[in-house]
Amino acid sequence: RKGSHVYEFGDHGALIVMAKDREPTNEILYSWDEGMSWKSLPLPELINVDNIMTEPNSTAPTFVLYGVKNNIGVLIHLDFSLLHVKQCEGVEIAGKPESSYELWSPNDGQSKCLLGRNVHYIRRKRAEECFNGQQFERHQFMHNCPCTEANYECDYGYERNGLDGSCKSLTVDIQTPRTDYIPEYCPPGGEYTISNGFRRVAGDTCDAKSGLNRLPTVVSCPTIFGSVTSNGRIVALLLFLLCFILSIIFLFQQRPNILTSLFDYWDHNYFRNYKYQKLSVLPQTVFE
């Protein structure tokens, strides 16, 4: 449609309503197929339309048009649910011929991964003239893509060394992260990060483990054993348990009867200070 128009979306984006806003008009235009075809709805008189509004989420098929007629304000309520268009069906089998819905994934023409993720939305097929309904919930399926160079930008304090080069520090002439810098507050068992010169683009959720990893280096805070990584702590714990088990085995080999001796000693020393009396007899001293 040519010319200046004011427009609004309804029914979760399935319905487009518009009207001329630079000259008086006596019709409203609406489309069920994303603008491939338009239908006209007559107005009772010529009106200078100012705007068309709907509820904030644009899920309802109802609108309010307001404007001016003969210097008097006009409000017109538009309810497209009265057109008796059928209800959309088959949301659970989206993509099949018998369904009113399809799976759609936004892309930039080169890759379907935008901001590090591939998202599939369920939306009404373009040529289907049907209502989604105000209670319709738009489903989406998302998975993160492997990180590539396009998912990163230079971190604060770094700049690109050429158009496609690495990120170079503006303060120090080094290309490897400094692991000797320790924050002022770094409790034992904690961790801190050191920038590699890159960071993910804001809002990007790409998977660095399965792709290009330029995330900050994670370093463990120093402990009594120095700066030990989490893998190092696990190895140390396993070595300690192994030494303890070997010590127990060696002790049993040298003294096979050690358990019997311990139980005999415990029974003898634990019960020897107890004196039992009949219930009908009073103790002879305060120590009994």
Side-chain angles (χ1 to χ4, degrees), residues 257-272:
N257 299 325
I258 187 172
L259 285 179
T260 305
S261 302
L262 287 175
F263 283 123
D264 290 343
Y265 175 81
W266 184 77
D267 289 340
H268 177 70
N269 287 276
Y270 187 76
F271 293 105
R272 69 178 181 179

mmCIF file of all heavy atoms in Angstrom, residues 257-272:
data_model
loop_
_atom_site.group_PDB
_atom_site.id
_atom_site.type_symbol
_atom_site.label_atom_id
_atom_site.label_comp_id
_atom_site.label_asym_id
_atom_site.label_seq_id
_atom_site.Cartn_x
_atom_site.Cartn_y
_atom_site.Cartn_z
ATOM 1 N N ASN A 257 45.911 -59.393 64.652
ATOM 2 C CA ASN A 257 44.935 -59.472 65.744
ATOM 3 C C ASN A 257 44.689 -58.119 66.391
ATOM 4 O O ASN A 257 44.261 -58.057 67.555
ATOM 5 C CB ASN A 257 45.428 -60.474 66.804
ATOM 6 C CG ASN A 257 45.577 -61.878 66.240
ATOM 7 O OD1 ASN A 257 44.787 -62.286 65.382
ATOM 8 N ND2 ASN A 257 46.585 -62.613 66.711
ATOM 9 N N ILE A 258 44.964 -57.063 65.708
ATOM 10 C CA ILE A 258 44.842 -55.752 66.342
ATOM 11 C C ILE A 258 43.399 -55.395 66.703
ATOM 12 O O ILE A 258 43.134 -54.805 67.757
ATOM 13 C CB ILE A 258 45.440 -54.658 65.421
ATOM 14 C CG1 ILE A 258 45.475 -53.325 66.167
ATOM 15 C CG2 ILE A 258 44.669 -54.553 64.116
ATOM 16 C CD1 ILE A 258 46.216 -52.239 65.424
ATOM 17 N N LEU A 259 42.425 -55.802 65.889
ATOM 18 C CA LEU A 259 41.028 -55.509 66.206
ATOM 19 C C LEU A 259 40.584 -56.236 67.461
ATOM 20 O O LEU A 259 39.890 -55.676 68.323
ATOM 21 C CB LEU A 259 40.122 -55.869 65.019
ATOM 22 C CG LEU A 259 40.159 -54.917 63.823
ATOM 23 C CD1 LEU A 259 39.236 -55.415 62.727
ATOM 24 C CD2 LEU A 259 39.729 -53.519 64.246
ATOM 25 N N THR A 260 40.969 -57.506 67.595
ATOM 26 C CA THR A 260 40.604 -58.280 68.793
ATOM 27 C C THR A 260 41.207 -57.639 70.033
ATOM 28 O O THR A 260 40.549 -57.512 71.072
ATOM 29 C CB THR A 260 41.094 -59.726 68.640
ATOM 30 O OG1 THR A 260 40.567 -60.272 67.431
ATOM 31 C CG2 THR A 260 40.657 -60.562 69.819
ATOM 32 N N SER A 261 42.448 -57.210 69.959
ATOM 33 C CA SER A 261 43.108 -56.579 71.096
ATOM 34 C C SER A 261 42.425 -55.279 71.477
ATOM 35 O O SER A 261 42.236 -54.981 72.665
ATOM 36 C CB SER A 261 44.575 -56.316 70.761
ATOM 37 O OG SER A 261 45.243 -57.506 70.423
ATOM 38 N N LEU A 262 42.016 -54.502 70.483
ATOM 39 C CA LEU A 262 41.350 -53.241 70.771
ATOM 40 C C LEU A 262 40.005 -53.441 71.446
ATOM 41 O O LEU A 262 39.663 -52.752 72.410
ATOM 42 C CB LEU A 262 41.161 -52.447 69.462
ATOM 43 C CG LEU A 262 42.425 -51.815 68.870
ATOM 44 C CD1 LEU A 262 42.113 -51.185 67.527
ATOM 45 C CD2 LEU A 262 42.997 -50.766 69.814
ATOM 46 N N PHE A 263 39.231 -54.426 70.980
ATOM 47 C CA PHE A 263 37.928 -54.695 71.591
ATOM 48 C C PHE A 263 38.076 -55.214 73.016
ATOM 49 O O PHE A 263 37.320 -54.842 73.926
ATOM 50 C CB PHE A 263 37.128 -55.678 70.739
ATOM 51 C CG PHE A 263 36.513 -55.063 69.523
ATOM 52 C CD1 PHE A 263 36.775 -55.548 68.249
ATOM 53 C CD2 PHE A 263 35.661 -53.972 69.647
ATOM 54 C CE1 PHE A 263 36.210 -54.959 67.138
ATOM 55 C CE2 PHE A 263 35.091 -53.381 68.539
ATOM 56 C CZ PHE A 263 35.374 -53.875 67.284
ATOM 57 N N ASP A 264 39.075 -56.088 73.235
ATOM 58 C CA ASP A 264 39.298 -56.601 74.585
ATOM 59 C C ASP A 264 39.691 -55.481 75.525
ATOM 60 O O ASP A 264 39.215 -55.393 76.664
ATOM 61 C CB ASP A 264 40.393 -57.675 74.554
ATOM 62 C CG ASP A 264 39.921 -58.955 73.859
ATOM 63 O OD1 ASP A 264 38.690 -59.105 73.712
ATOM 64 O OD2 ASP A 264 40.779 -59.767 73.450
ATOM 65 N N TYR A 265 40.561 -54.604 75.071
ATOM 66 C CA TYR A 265 41.003 -53.484 75.908
ATOM 67 C C TYR A 265 39.832 -52.557 76.217
ATOM 68 O O TYR A 265 39.668 -52.091 77.340
ATOM 69 C CB TYR A 265 42.110 -52.720 75.189
ATOM 70 C CG TYR A 265 42.561 -51.479 75.915
ATOM 71 C CD1 TYR A 265 43.471 -51.565 76.978
ATOM 72 C CD2 TYR A 265 42.063 -50.235 75.547
ATOM 73 C CE1 TYR A 265 43.862 -50.423 77.642
ATOM 74 C CE2 TYR A 265 42.461 -49.093 76.225
ATOM 75 C CZ TYR A 265 43.362 -49.190 77.268
ATOM 76 O OH TYR A 265 43.747 -48.061 77.935
ATOM 77 N N TRP A 266 39.014 -52.312 75.230
ATOM 78 C CA TRP A 266 37.865 -51.393 75.439
ATOM 79 C C TRP A 266 36.869 -51.958 76.420
ATOM 80 O O TRP A 266 36.403 -51.271 77.313
ATOM 81 C CB TRP A 266 37.207 -51.141 74.082
ATOM 82 C CG TRP A 266 36.078 -50.144 74.171
ATOM 83 C CD1 TRP A 266 36.172 -48.800 74.267
ATOM 84 C CD2 TRP A 266 34.685 -50.460 74.191
ATOM 85 N NE1 TRP A 266 34.942 -48.237 74.342
ATOM 86 C CE2 TRP A 266 33.986 -49.227 74.296
ATOM 87 C CE3 TRP A 266 33.966 -51.652 74.146
ATOM 88 C CZ2 TRP A 266 32.623 -49.166 74.356
ATOM 89 C CZ3 TRP A 266 32.587 -51.586 74.196
ATOM 90 C CH2 TRP A 266 31.923 -50.354 74.297
ATOM 91 N N ASP A 267 36.544 -53.261 76.280
ATOM 92 C CA ASP A 267 35.589 -53.902 77.202
ATOM 93 C C ASP A 267 36.131 -53.891 78.623
ATOM 94 O O ASP A 267 35.421 -53.585 79.588
ATOM 95 C CB ASP A 267 35.325 -55.342 76.767
ATOM 96 C CG ASP A 267 34.503 -55.380 75.485
ATOM 97 O OD1 ASP A 267 33.847 -54.360 75.186
ATOM 98 O OD2 ASP A 267 34.520 -56.417 74.785
ATOM 99 N N HIS A 268 37.416 -54.196 78.765
ATOM 100 C CA HIS A 268 37.993 -54.313 80.098
ATOM 101 C C HIS A 268 38.073 -52.969 80.804
ATOM 102 O O HIS A 268 37.734 -52.837 81.974
ATOM 103 C CB HIS A 268 39.386 -54.942 79.989
ATOM 104 C CG HIS A 268 40.089 -55.043 81.328
ATOM 105 N ND1 HIS A 268 39.685 -55.921 82.304
ATOM 106 C CD2 HIS A 268 41.155 -54.350 81.830
ATOM 107 C CE1 HIS A 268 40.476 -55.776 83.372
ATOM 108 N NE2 HIS A 268 41.383 -54.821 83.097
ATOM 109 N N ASN A 269 38.475 -51.931 80.116
ATOM 110 C CA ASN A 269 38.694 -50.631 80.738
ATOM 111 C C ASN A 269 37.410 -49.819 80.855
ATOM 112 O O ASN A 269 37.306 -48.962 81.733
ATOM 113 C CB ASN A 269 39.723 -49.829 79.943
ATOM 114 C CG ASN A 269 41.133 -50.353 80.117
ATOM 115 O OD1 ASN A 269 41.810 -50.009 81.072
ATOM 116 N ND2 ASN A 269 41.566 -51.218 79.204
ATOM 117 N N TYR A 270 36.462 -50.086 80.029
ATOM 118 C CA TYR A 270 35.247 -49.272 80.045
ATOM 119 C C TYR A 270 34.304 -49.684 81.169
ATOM 120 O O TYR A 270 33.658 -48.859 81.790
ATOM 121 C CB TYR A 270 34.531 -49.365 78.694
ATOM 122 C CG TYR A 270 33.348 -48.433 78.563
ATOM 123 C CD1 TYR A 270 33.547 -47.068 78.332
ATOM 124 C CD2 TYR A 270 32.050 -48.897 78.708
ATOM 125 C CE1 TYR A 270 32.488 -46.210 78.216
ATOM 126 C CE2 TYR A 270 30.980 -48.042 78.604
ATOM 127 C CZ TYR A 270 31.201 -46.687 78.352
ATOM 128 O OH TYR A 270 30.138 -45.828 78.259
ATOM 129 N N PHE A 271 34.239 -50.996 81.433
ATOM 130 C CA PHE A 271 33.263 -51.482 82.398
ATOM 131 C C PHE A 271 33.848 -51.755 83.778
ATOM 132 O O PHE A 271 33.114 -52.053 84.710
ATOM 133 C CB PHE A 271 32.624 -52.787 81.884
ATOM 134 C CG PHE A 271 31.779 -52.590 80.658
ATOM 135 C CD1 PHE A 271 32.219 -52.987 79.425
ATOM 136 C CD2 PHE A 271 30.553 -51.952 80.755
ATOM 137 C CE1 PHE A 271 31.451 -52.785 78.297
ATOM 138 C CE2 PHE A 271 29.773 -51.750 79.630
ATOM 139 C CZ PHE A 271 30.225 -52.168 78.393
ATOM 140 N N ARG A 272 35.154 -51.622 83.949
ATOM 141 C CA ARG A 272 35.727 -52.019 85.245
ATOM 142 C C ARG A 272 35.393 -51.033 86.368
ATOM 143 O O ARG A 272 35.457 -51.381 87.540
ATOM 144 C CB ARG A 272 37.244 -52.135 85.100
ATOM 145 C CG ARG A 272 37.953 -50.815 84.885
ATOM 146 C CD ARG A 272 39.442 -51.035 84.798
ATOM 147 N NE ARG A 272 40.133 -49.754 84.604
ATOM 148 C CZ ARG A 272 41.463 -49.671 84.524
ATOM 149 N NH1 ARG A 272 42.210 -50.764 84.603
ATOM 150 N NH2 ARG A 272 42.027 -48.488 84.346
#
